[in-house]
Amino acid sequence: MSALRIILVDDQVLMRQGLRKLLEVEPGIEVVGEAADGLEALRVVAETGPDVALVDARMPGMDGVELIVRLSAKHPGVAAIVLSTFDEDDYIFGALRGGALGYLLKDCSPEELVSAVHRVGRGETVLGAPVAARLVAELRHAPATGGGSRAEDALAARFRGQDLLSVREVEVARMVAQGAANREIAARLFITEGTVKNHVSSVLRKLGLRDRIQLALHLKE
C-alpha cells in the first residue's frame, strides 16, 4: 500500500518544521510539500497531488476556510484537516461546511494527529473533543424544523440533479434571492464574507448570469 501524501499549510515556519519532523518518521506517511498561505497551498497541491492537506485556520491573505472551499471545488480528492489554536464557531463550522474532514486543536497529542491523518485518508471524519463538543452544542440549540419550503426544496433538487450547484451554493443563492447581504449570509452560515463572495461568483458563472440581481430574478422565476 502506497504512503499517504500530505502537505503542510501554516504561516509559522517553526510549526511546519515541527509537523514535518513528527510526520516523516511515521510509516505510511510522506510529506510532499509545504505552504505558508492559501494561495501558495493551491499551487503546491497542483504540483504535488497530495492525499491530505493539514491546514491552519488563520493565515494572512487566504485563510484556511477559504482554502478548504477552493480545494473542495478544484481538488475534491484532497482530504483537508484543520489544525488550529482557534476553536471559534466561525472557523469550525466554516471549515466543516466548506468540506474539511477533520478539525483538531494544536494542543492535541502527536498520536491523535497521526491517527487523524490516516483516518481522513480513508475518508473518515475526525473531530477533536473540544470541537465535537461545540458541534453538539450547536445542534442542540438549532431549531428542529423540517427545512425550507417545497418550492425551495424543488429548486435545490433541480440544481443538484443537473450537477449545476453544490448544496452550499444553493443555500447562498437562496439567501441572495431573499436580498441578504454577504455579511448576513456569512453570519448565518458560519463562513467568512470572502467565502460567500466565492460562492456567489461560482453560482453566477455556473448559471451564466451577470450579477446578483439577475440571480435573484432567475431563482424567483
Side-chain angles (χ1 to χ4, degrees):
M1 182 177 179
S2 60
L4 279 175
R5 297 166 55 82
I6 184 171
I7 68 165
L8 310 174
V9 187
D10 196 299
D11 61 326
Q12 297 182 12
V13 177
L14 288 177
M15 177 59 67
R16 297 201 306 272
Q17 291 177 344
L19 290 171
R20 177 179 282 274
K21 289 181 179 179
L22 169 66
L23 295 172
E24 280 184 333
V25 300
E26 292 294 328
I29 294 178
E30 179 185 3
V31 178
V32 296
E34 298 181 16
D37 57 48
L39 287 175
E40 185 181 6
L42 291 174
R43 177 181 60 78
V44 173
V45 166
E47 293 174 352
T48 62
D51 303 300
V52 177
L54 195 56
V55 179
D56 187 21
R58 182 176 290 182
M59 297 181 291
M62 184 191 300
D63 66 14
V65 173
E66 291 190 40
L67 170 60
I68 288 168
V69 170
R70 295 198 186 191
L71 285 177
S72 297
K74 297 182 179 180
H75 305 279
V78 180
I81 306 175
V82 175
L83 182 64
S84 177
T85 56
F86 300 98
D87 62 351
E88 301 169 7
D89 287 356
D90 189 42
Y91 288 112
I92 294 173
F93 297 113
L96 295 177
R97 290 178 187 273
L101 287 185
Y103 200 113
L104 301 175
L105 299 184
K106 287 183 177 178
D107 62 357
C108 69
S109 69
E111 294 79 13
E112 186 178 3
L113 176 59
V114 171
S115 173
V117 169
H118 284 293
R119 289 175 63 187
V120 301
R122 297 193 297 266
E124 299 177 28
T125 299
V126 181
L127 300 178
V131 176
R134 297 291 286 272
L135 182 60
V136 170
E138 176 67 21
L139 292 174
R140 285 176 176 171
H141 287 87
T145 62
S149 67
R150 290 184 179 179
E152 288 176 328
D153 291 340
L155 175 67
R158 175 164 61 89
F159 284 148
R160 289 200 297 271
Q162 296 175 353
D163 292 328
L164 288 178
L165 304 185
S166 67
V167 173
R168 172 45 52 85
E169 288 171 343
V170 170
E171 289 179 317
V172 171
R174 284 174 176 172
M175 294 182 188
V176 169
Q178 295 166 359
N182 286 351
R183 178 174 298 181
E184 180 183 354
I185 296 173
R188 290 170 61 183
L189 296 182
F190 299 102
I191 58 179
T192 65
E193 288 188 59
T195 299
V196 174
K197 291 179 182 178
N198 290 337
H199 283 314
V200 172
S201 297
S202 178
V203 169
L204 294 177
R205 183 185 72 255
K206 290 180 178 181
L207 298 182
L209 302 174
R210 185 183 66 251
D211 53 31
R212 297 167 73 98
I213 295 176
Q214 282 195 345
L215 174 59
L217 293 174
H218 180 80
L219 297 185
K220 290 180 179 180
E221 290 178 350

